[in-house]
Amino acid sequence: MLNAHDITVSFGGETLFDSISFRLAKGDRVGLIGKNGAGKSTLLKLLAKVNAPTSGIFALEKNTKTGYLPQDLDFENGRTVLEEAYLAFEEIKAVEKRQEEIHKIMETTTDFESDFYLGILDELNDLNIRYEMIGGYQYQAETEKVLLGLGFSIRDLNAPTDTFSGGWRMRIELAKLLLQQTDILLLDEPTNHLDIESIIWLEQFLKKYKGALMMVSHDKMFLDQVTNRTIEIVQKRIFDFKKSYSKYLELRYELRAQQEAAQKNQEKQIQQTEKLIERFRAKASKASMAQSLIKKLDKIERIEIDPEENRKIKFEFTLSQQPGKIILQTENIEKSFGSKKVFEGVNLEIVRGDKIAFVGQNGQGKSTLAKILVGELDYAGKFKLGHNVQIGYFAQNQSTYLVADKTVLEEAMDAATAENRTRVRDLLGAFLFPGDSVDKKVNVLSGGERNRLALCKLLLQPFNVLIMDEPTNHLDIQSKNVLKEALLRFQGTLILVSHDRDFVQGLCQKVVAFREGGVQLFLGDINAYLENQKLNSLKELELQKKNVKTDKKVSNGEYVQHKIVRQENQKIEKIERQIAQLEKEIKEIDFELEINYEQTISQLDFFDHYNSKKKKLDELMQEWEALQMES
C-alpha cells in the first residue's frame, strides 16, 4: 500500500532520520515508538503529506485513502456532534444535496413529458442507486454507534460541538476518521483524551480494522492489545519487527545480547591477530605473513551493537513531613457549573498511605474533584484537611502553566525554595536537561519535555500528599516507567487521575469510580475494578437480589424447600450464561457490520442467521423475566 524509501529529514542542521526505509501493507498495525523528540509525530506528518521529507520518496498505491489524526486540531463551531461526524461521508452528503435539489425542481415542474423532466428522473434514479451502494441508508446508524462507543450519550449527539471540551471534540475527529473507511490510518496519541472504557472500545475497533494502521502511543497496554508490528526510532535509524510492543522489547534484548557476545568473540580474534602481526614484523622471514594478516584484519567487518536510548529520568518523591492519620474528609460535596450538576453527595475519607485511582468517563468530575481538594474550585458541602497535610498538585494541563519565553532554568528556579535552590541544576539534569539545555526557551520544548519540566518543578516544592491528574500525557514509555517506580516507592498518600491502565496497574489499591453524578469507593486495584464492571446488568440485578430472598416456602408453610430454590437459581444462572453468550455473538456481528457492511451481509444466509440469534435472545429474556417474577 505504501513504500517509504531512503527518507531523510533535517531541521536547522539537525537530522531526525537518515535514509530510513519501510513498507506498510494491508493488515499491518504498527506501533511507532521512541523517546520524546525522536521524530514520531514528524514521520506521521510526512506520511499524511502535511510535511515533505528533506530527501527520499513515498510511493502510494493508486486510489489509496489516508486518514490522519494529529495531536492538536483546530475546531470549527456551528454544528452539532452528529452534523460534524456526518462530514466523514463526503460523497453521501453530496448525493443527498443533489437529491434535495432534484426534488425541489420536480415540485415546480408542470410538464411531466418534457425531455428535461425525464432527464432529471433518470438522474434521480442513478443517484438513488449510488446512494444505496455507498451506504446512504446505514451511515447515520453507523455514526451513532461509533460516537456512543467513544463515550458520547444519546443526548450529546444533537448538542453544539462548541459546548464540549477540546478532549471531547478530539473524539469527534477520531469518530470521523473511523467512519471514513480509509485504507491507511495514522493516529498520533489517540488515547490521550479518552477514558478507560472508550480506550477499550477503540482497541476492539482497531483490532478489526482491515487497512494499514500506524500510530504513536505511549500506552503500553494499548500497543500490546492493538499492534502486530513495532517500528522504533533510535538515533536517526529505525528498528522494524513484526511483533507487538512487549514482544518486540524481548526480541531487541535478545538480539543485543547476541550482538554483544559476537562482538566479544570478534575482539578476541582481532587481539590474537594483532599479537601475531607484532611478532612476525620483527622477523624478516615472516614479513610477508605479517602483511597478509594485516590485509585480513582490514577486511574484517566489525560487529556493531544496535544503539539504544540509555538516558532516562532519575528522581525520588520524598516526604516533607509526616502528616496525621486522616489526610482528608469530605461530606456531601457537590459541584455545579451553572445549571449543569457535575456530582453530588461525595463522601470520602482518605487515610495516610492510601494510593487511590479516580476513574470514570470524561465529564463525570474526576478533575473537578481534584481541583476542589487542592483549593482551586469552590463547592457546596464540607471538606476538611488533616493535620500537617501538604499537597503537591500536578494538573492535567500542568505544562500550559509554564511561561513560554522563560528558560528551563528560570522556570525551575521560580519553583525552588531557599533550601533546594542549589540543587536545581542537578535535578534538571536528572530530568534530562543537562548542561546548556537548561537555557532552552519553554516554547521550543516538546510536549514530553514540558511535562518533565513540570514534574521537576513539583519536586522542588514540599508535600506529603500527591494529587496527579493525567501526569503521563506526552511522556514516553521509558519516562512513564520511571515515574511509576518513583510513585511505588513514595511513602506518602497518592490520588491519581489516569486513563492509562498499565500505569495504574499495581500502583493504586483503591478505586473511586465516578458515574452518573456520584462516586463509589471500590476496594481493589484497577484490574479488579474493570473485571467488576464487565458484569452484565442481569448478573448485577441477581447479586442485588441475592440476600432479599434466599428460600421459598411450600404451600402448607411447614418447611423450606432449599432444593427447589437451588434448582431455580441454577436454571436462572444457566439462562444468564446463554444470554451473555448470545449478546457477545450479536455484538461481534454488529461490529463486523460497522467495519465492513457489504462484505458481511454478502455471507450465505447472513440475515437468517443474524435474526435467529436475536429471536433466541428475546425468548431467553422472556424466560428469564418469568423466572425472576416467580422467585
Side-chain angles (χ1 to χ4, degrees):
M1 297 180 83
L2 181 146
N3 281 296
H5 182 67
D6 281 344
I7 304 299
T8 297
V9 174
S10 299
F11 293 112
E14 182 179 344
T15 300
L16 272 180
F17 322 123
D18 189 8
S19 299
I20 64 171
S21 300
F22 60 88
R23 181 176 180 271
L24 278 183
K26 187 176 180 179
D28 282 342
R29 298 196 299 272
V30 182
L32 185 59
I33 64 170
K35 71 177 183 67
N36 291 128
K40 303 183 295 295
S41 296
T42 299
L43 183 54
L44 287 190
K45 287 177 182 177
L46 296 175
L47 293 170
K49 297 185 179 179
V50 175
N51 294 334
T54 307
S55 64
I57 58 170
F58 290 103
L60 203 63
E61 286 182 10
K62 191 177 179 181
N63 298 323
T64 299
K65 189 177 180 182
T66 300
Y68 170 53
L69 181 77
Q71 282 192 41
D72 303 303
L73 286 167
D74 293 324
F75 300 105
E76 291 185 18
N77 296 330
R79 303 187 187 97
T80 67
V81 172
L82 272 178
E83 287 169 345
E84 185 68 35
Y86 288 159
L87 295 180
F89 303 95
E90 291 181 13
E91 187 180 357
I92 288 176
K93 299 307 289 183
V95 171
E96 283 183 343
K97 184 180 178 182
R98 182 57 184 158
Q99 285 173 325
E100 288 175 12
E101 290 172 352
I102 290 176
H103 283 132
K104 286 180 181 177
I105 293 170
M106 292 172 67
E107 288 173 4
T108 59
T109 301
T110 55
D111 186 356
F112 303 119
E113 302 297 328
S114 67
D115 291 340
F116 171 74
Y117 186 78
L118 295 174
I120 63 169
L121 277 180
D122 287 340
E123 184 184 353
L124 182 60
N125 183 56
D126 291 342
L127 286 170
N128 290 340
I129 293 170
R130 180 63 184 164
Y131 190 71
E132 183 174 3
M133 285 178 62
I134 61 178
Y137 298 110
Q138 293 87 36
Y139 82 96
Q140 292 180 337
E142 289 174 18
T143 302
E144 287 188 15
K145 284 180 184 178
V146 171
L147 288 169
L148 294 174
L150 286 170
F152 289 94
S153 65
I154 291 292
R155 65 176 178 272
D156 290 334
L157 300 184
N158 292 306
T161 58
D162 52 291
T163 62
F164 292 87
S165 67
W168 281 97
R169 297 181 80 170
M170 185 71 82
R171 293 185 192 210
I172 301 172
E173 295 302 315
L174 178 57
K176 285 159 67 175
L177 275 185
L178 299 181
L179 289 162
Q180 282 172 0
Q181 297 185 346
T182 55
D183 302 298
I184 298 175
L185 198 54
L186 308 170
L187 305 178
D188 197 350
E189 295 286 5
T191 64
N192 261 1
H193 301 282
L194 301 184
D195 52 58
I196 291 175
E197 292 176 4
S198 298
I199 290 173
I200 293 171
W201 181 91
L202 181 60
E203 282 176 0
Q204 298 306 313
F205 190 101
L206 292 178
K207 280 195 271 191
K208 299 274 187 176
Y209 180 63
K210 304 297 183 185
L213 166 69
M214 180 177 280
M215 66 177 184
V216 175
S217 178
H218 296 144
D219 187 327
K220 177 184 172 184
M221 191 173 291
F222 185 69
L223 287 169
D224 280 341
Q225 288 290 330
V226 174
T227 62
N228 56 19
R229 178 178 167 193
T230 301
I231 294 179
E232 182 180 14
I233 304 173
V234 182
Q235 296 179 15
K236 305 174 189 178
R237 296 171 55 189
I238 63 168
F239 294 89
D240 186 354
F241 291 93
K242 290 191 175 294
K243 300 285 181 183
S244 60
Y245 175 72
S246 292
K247 291 178 180 176
Y248 162 76
L249 287 185
E250 293 173 9
L251 185 59
R252 279 272 277 139
Y253 177 81
E254 290 172 7
L255 287 173
R256 278 184 59 83
Q258 292 171 8
Q259 287 173 342
E260 286 170 355
Q263 188 188 60
K264 196 172 180 180
N265 288 333
Q266 188 183 63
E267 284 297 325
K268 277 184 182 179
Q269 293 173 4
I270 290 170
Q271 287 172 11
Q272 289 171 356
T273 304
E274 286 173 343
K275 285 179 182 178
L276 285 173
I277 290 170
E278 287 302 315
R279 282 173 54 193
F280 292 162
R281 270 179 176 164
K283 299 178 182 179
S285 60
K286 302 287 186 179
S288 60
M289 191 174 290
Q291 286 301 315
S292 177
L293 288 172
I294 290 169
K295 288 179 182 178
K296 180 183 176 184
L297 202 59
D298 289 339
K299 289 179 182 178
I300 291 177
E301 188 174 335
R302 304 294 174 109
I303 295 171
E304 292 184 0
I305 297 173
D306 290 339
E308 64 176 349
E309 294 296 340
N310 292 315
R311 294 193 317 151
K312 63 180 182 179
I313 56 178
K314 299 173 185 177
F315 65 94
E316 294 284 339
F317 291 112
T318 56
L319 287 182
S320 56
Q321 60 181 331
Q322 193 67 257
K325 183 179 179 182
I326 303 298
I327 297 299
L328 62 86
Q329 292 173 310
T330 70
E331 184 179 339
N332 291 325
I333 291 283
E334 63 178 74
K335 178 63 183 175
S336 299
F337 292 100
S339 60
K340 183 180 179 182
K341 182 165 284 187
V342 182
F343 50 68
E344 62 182 344
V346 175
N347 297 295
L348 291 175
E349 180 178 271
I350 296 175
V351 300
R352 185 176 61 227
D354 272 350
K355 285 187 167 64
I356 299 174
F358 282 6
V359 302
Q361 287 190 330
N362 289 352
Q364 294 292 325
K366 303 184 299 294
S367 297
T368 299
L369 183 57
K371 289 177 181 177
I372 288 172
L373 299 182
V374 299
E376 285 199 1
L377 289 176
D378 58 5
Y379 58 92
K382 294 180 181 179
F383 168 48
K384 182 181 178 182
L385 277 182
H387 180 62
N388 283 341
V389 169
Q390 293 178 300
I391 295 177
Y393 176 51
F394 188 93
Q396 183 173 157
N397 58 343
Q398 189 70 43
S399 61
T400 63
Y401 292 113
L402 302 173
V403 181
D405 59 357
K406 284 191 175 183
T407 67
V408 170
L409 182 60
E410 287 169 344
E411 272 291 328
M413 282 294 187
D414 287 347
T417 63
E419 291 78 17
N420 59 28
R421 192 169 294 275
T422 57
R423 293 182 48 239
V424 168
R425 281 185 175 273
D426 290 338
L427 193 57
L428 284 171
F431 277 85
L432 306 186
F433 294 108
D436 294 340
S437 63
V438 299
D439 296 323
K440 281 185 179 180
K441 296 283 188 180
V442 167
N443 59 9
V444 303
L445 300 180
S446 69
E449 287 172 326
R450 290 186 182 208
N451 251 29
R452 293 205 307 267
L453 178 55
L455 277 172
C456 181
K457 289 184 67 174
L458 177 64
L459 261 68
L460 290 165
Q461 302 160 30
F463 57 83
N464 47 33
V465 175
L466 259 178
I467 298 179
M468 307 190 84
D469 191 353
E470 303 290 4
T472 61
N473 278 356
H474 305 296
L475 287 183
D476 57 50
I477 294 174
Q478 192 177 53
S479 297
K480 280 167 48 174
N481 290 340
V482 174
L483 175 59
K484 181 174 180 178
E485 289 166 9
L487 289 172
L488 284 168
R489 293 190 297 270
F490 179 49
Q491 297 299 308
T493 304
L494 173 67
I495 297 173
L496 179 65
V497 182
S498 180
H499 62 258
D500 191 321
R501 290 159 294 165
D502 181 68
F503 186 75
V504 177
Q505 187 177 8
L507 183 53
C508 297
Q509 291 78 45
K510 295 179 182 178
V511 171
V512 174
F514 288 68
R515 189 181 294 273
E516 297 176 355
V519 303
Q520 182 180 7
L521 180 65
F522 183 88
L523 300 178
D525 66 7
I526 189 68
N527 287 343
Y529 167 75
L530 290 174
E531 283 298 319
N532 179 266
Q533 297 310 298
K534 287 180 182 177
L535 292 173
N536 58 65
S537 58
L538 301 180
K539 193 65 178 175
E540 287 176 344
L541 182 59
E542 179 63 18
L543 288 171
Q544 290 168 8
K545 294 182 64 177
K546 198 167 187 178
N547 294 322
V548 175
K549 189 176 286 186
T550 57
D551 55 38
K552 194 169 186 177
K553 292 183 179 180
V554 293
S555 57
N556 61 13
E558 291 180 355
Y559 62 93
V560 178
Q561 289 184 306
H562 292 288
K563 184 177 179 181
I564 294 175
V565 175
R566 285 198 302 273
Q567 288 174 341
E568 286 179 349
N569 287 339
Q570 287 170 358
K571 191 172 183 180
I572 289 171
E573 288 175 1
K574 181 182 178 181
I575 292 173
E576 286 176 354
R577 287 194 298 271
Q578 291 174 317
I579 289 172
Q581 180 61 31
L582 272 173
E583 286 179 334
K584 180 183 176 184
E585 291 171 4
I586 291 170
K587 189 175 181 181
E588 287 174 352
I589 296 172
D590 287 339
F591 217 89
E592 291 291 345
L593 285 170
E594 288 181 36
I595 302 298
N596 197 329
Y597 181 81
E598 297 294 337
Q599 184 176 332
T600 304
I601 65 172
S602 66
Q603 296 171 15
L604 186 65
D605 298 327
F606 168 78
F607 284 109
D608 290 341
H609 176 67
Y610 184 45
N611 290 330
S612 68
K613 286 183 180 294
K614 284 194 167 184
K615 184 180 178 182
K616 180 64 175 176
L617 179 61
D618 288 339
E619 291 171 354
L620 287 171
M621 286 290 290
Q622 291 172 13
E623 187 177 354
W624 179 85
E625 288 173 6
L627 286 169
Q628 290 289 348
M629 293 293 290
E630 292 173 7
S631 62

